[in-house]
Amino acid sequence: MRATFRNLYDQFNMAAFIRDRRTHAMSVLRWALILVPMAATVGTLCAAFLWSLDAVTRLRFAFPWLLYLLPIGGFMVGLLYHLTGRSVEGGNNLIVEQIHEPGGGVPLRMAPLIFFGTVVTHLFGGSAGREGTAVQLGGSLSGGFGRALKLDTQATRILLMTGIAAGFGAVFGTPIAGAVFALEVLAIGRVEYRALVPCLVAALVGDWTCLAWGIHHGIYHVDATVPVDALIVIKAGVAGVVFGLVGLAFAEANHALGGWLKRMVPYGPLRPVIGGVALIALVWLFGTRDYLGLGTLAATSDGLTIASFFGPDTHPWSWALKLLFTVVTLSAGFKGGEVTPLFFIGAALGNALAPMFGVPTGVFAAIGFVALFAGAANTPLACTFMGIELFGAAYAVPIAVACFVAYLCSGHNGIYLSQRVAVPKVPAAHLTPDATLRDARTHRASRRRSRV
């Protein structure tokens, strides 16, 4: 008996077990000491950024003539990037590239440049979002922390991912979606579970810090109640095809027009001037300013916002107009992001589709809100969690079905061209292992040229 106990003790190796737990505890403590201040800093900057966006938007409402300064504001930002920010013009794609293959790092100057550039865009009326700014704030600051602490390559990768999570979670008030987004956005078909806990911690701390500064996020109510049965799930799946195709169209239009402008106008600061003039022309053509800015606030009580699409009224073509205004803004080089405009487009498209499917507008607006983003960004898991965080778990199943179908139908396309294809959505012999969406797009373009 004594010998058996001794053998069991030797096999268990209590000393090694204690050493392992001690090493693990020290690693957790080390990461906590890095992540908490980093995420709190990102959350603070996101709070200042959101406050600034609200302030400049209300200023634009008070002084409508600011719209006519949009070309000048675009030139100022374009010139600033041309002179000092060429190394950070890649934006979100630069951060994704640095996570995949750490090299020169994410310059710290990305943070003030994108903050200023996005605020100027919204002051004068550009149709852009805020996710790109939040992600770049997080990536820039986390990269700065990594360099200051002299972290190794693997730790730097994880820290950059936590910066994305902190920025995304703070700016939208959805920490779970923020954490999953940072894990999922890097590669199609692969989730970086190694950074799961750090990203969740960073997203939570970023969100809590932003809330502690008194920032409040928009709340969208789905007032109608529909039983979640097989029929509503099938309808959500069919609508998911439309959301995926429109997400694909948004991404491709943005890349195509942006590429064409770069070829036609090599001097970067002039492209926003052309885009600003085009936006002013669109306002005059359609006789409305509802599609400028974020789309979360309106200058008048009858103006359209994202919340409008959750109401009973139907707006058949608002999604297409917002898509047009946003593509012109972003492809011309104005700073911001794609996600909040995608929320607007998705909710508006869901609102337009609802009568065709015999579903209350609010239900399909909620589904479209996240599903179109899932298709455009290739992040179905993050968007499903976002839908649950924003709208509750009652419609979790149709939301998930729409997000997954939209993801499948958008193909190997997306708003982030540095995203890699780890597991193709469908068999694709032309895609090499870990090819990027940029590679896939280049291959499609070369095939089209060869057929002509």
Side-chain angles (χ1 to χ4, degrees):
M1 183 71 179
R2 211 165 167 187
T4 302
F5 179 79
R6 182 66 184 176
N7 291 339
L8 187 62
Y9 177 83
D10 291 341
Q11 289 177 9
F12 189 70
N13 196 346
M14 181 64 74
F17 177 80
I18 293 173
R19 280 197 305 272
D20 289 343
R21 299 290 76 75
R22 178 178 176 276
T23 302
H24 183 71
M26 292 302 295
S27 177
V28 169
L29 179 61
R30 173 173 170 263
W31 272 108
L33 292 174
I34 296 171
L35 287 179
V36 172
M38 184 277 295
T41 305
V42 173
T44 298
L45 272 180
C46 284
F49 171 63
L50 292 175
W51 181 90
S52 300
L53 286 189
D54 186 78
V56 297
T57 299
R58 295 183 188 279
L59 189 64
R60 175 166 52 85
F61 292 161
F63 302 100
W65 53 265
L66 285 171
L67 172 65
Y68 301 106
L69 299 181
L70 183 60
I72 298 174
F75 180 79
M76 287 169 45
V77 174
L79 185 62
L80 184 62
Y81 267 80
H82 183 74
L83 296 176
T84 65
R86 292 192 182 186
S87 61
V88 299
E89 282 184 329
N92 291 357
N93 285 306
L94 172 63
I95 297 173
V96 172
E97 289 168 1
Q98 286 301 309
I99 293 173
H100 283 306
E101 297 179 6
V106 180
L108 196 57
R109 64 178 173 277
M110 175 183 276
L113 283 172
I114 191 61
F115 191 115
F116 174 75
T118 306
V119 169
V120 169
T121 296
H122 286 280
L123 172 63
F124 298 117
S127 177
R130 53 195 175 182
E131 143 276 340
T133 305
V135 167
Q136 290 174 55
L137 287 174
S140 176
L141 287 171
S142 60
F145 269 75
R147 286 190 296 274
L149 297 171
K150 294 181 172 54
L151 298 180
D152 59 28
T153 299
Q154 190 56 45
T156 299
R157 290 185 71 251
I158 293 176
L159 197 61
L160 286 172
M161 293 167 68
T162 62
I164 293 175
F168 194 99
V171 83
F172 292 122
T174 54
I176 298 176
V180 177
F181 177 82
L183 302 170
E184 190 180 23
V185 73
L186 303 179
I188 292 174
R190 183 175 64 206
V191 177
E192 295 273 350
Y193 282 107
R194 179 180 297 181
L196 180 63
V197 174
C199 283
L200 180 58
V201 170
L204 287 169
V205 173
D207 180 41
W208 292 341
T209 303
C210 191
L211 292 174
W213 283 105
I215 298 298
H216 301 286
H217 301 284
I219 299 175
Y220 305 101
H221 296 286
V222 182
D223 295 326
T225 56
V226 177
V228 179
D229 53 16
L231 184 59
I232 189 67
V233 172
I234 292 171
K235 289 178 178 178
V238 175
V241 175
V242 182
F243 295 134
L245 293 177
V246 173
L248 184 157
F250 175 88
E252 281 301 294
N254 201 22
H255 299 320
L257 183 56
W260 182 81
L261 279 173
K262 286 179 180 178
R263 291 193 300 273
M264 295 296 104
V265 187
Y267 186 57
L270 282 182
R271 293 194 288 268
V273 176
I274 296 170
V277 172
L279 284 170
I280 294 171
L282 287 174
V283 168
W284 279 96
L285 177 64
F286 293 106
T288 179
R289 299 187 179 209
D290 288 346
Y291 305 107
L292 300 174
L294 277 175
T296 56
L297 296 173
T300 59
S301 58
D302 60 345
L304 286 179
T305 65
I306 294 174
S308 303
F309 306 116
F310 289 80
D313 296 334
T314 304
H315 306 275
W317 297 106
S318 289
W319 65 271
L321 291 175
K322 184 63 174 178
L323 188 151
L324 174 62
F325 275 69
T326 305
V327 166
V328 170
T329 299
L330 296 179
S331 61
F334 285 97
K335 303 304 175 183
E338 301 92 346
V339 175
T340 304
L342 285 171
F343 291 160
F344 188 111
I345 297 166
L349 182 56
N351 174 281
L353 292 175
M356 305 178 196
F357 286 86
V359 177
T361 52
V363 175
F364 257 34
I367 293 173
F369 186 105
V370 289
L372 195 136
F373 174 35
N378 296 301
T379 54
L381 293 175
C383 292
T384 299
F385 280 112
M386 174 174 273
I388 294 170
E389 286 185 283
L390 292 175
F391 309 117
Y395 296 105
V397 174
I399 284 173
V401 168
C403 287
F404 282 48
V405 171
Y407 160 79
L408 185 64
C409 291
S410 65
H412 297 125
N413 307 272
I415 55 179
Y416 307 122
L417 289 179
S418 291
Q419 214 171 29
R420 295 191 175 185
V421 185
V423 180
K425 299 180 186 181
V426 294
H430 64 277
L431 290 178
T432 58
D434 280 336
T436 65
L437 293 187
R438 185 178 287 105
D439 297 331
R441 194 167 182 278
T442 302
H443 176 78
R444 289 194 300 271
S446 64
R447 278 201 311 180
R448 284 195 295 269
R449 285 194 297 269
S450 65
R451 291 173 184 169
V452 175

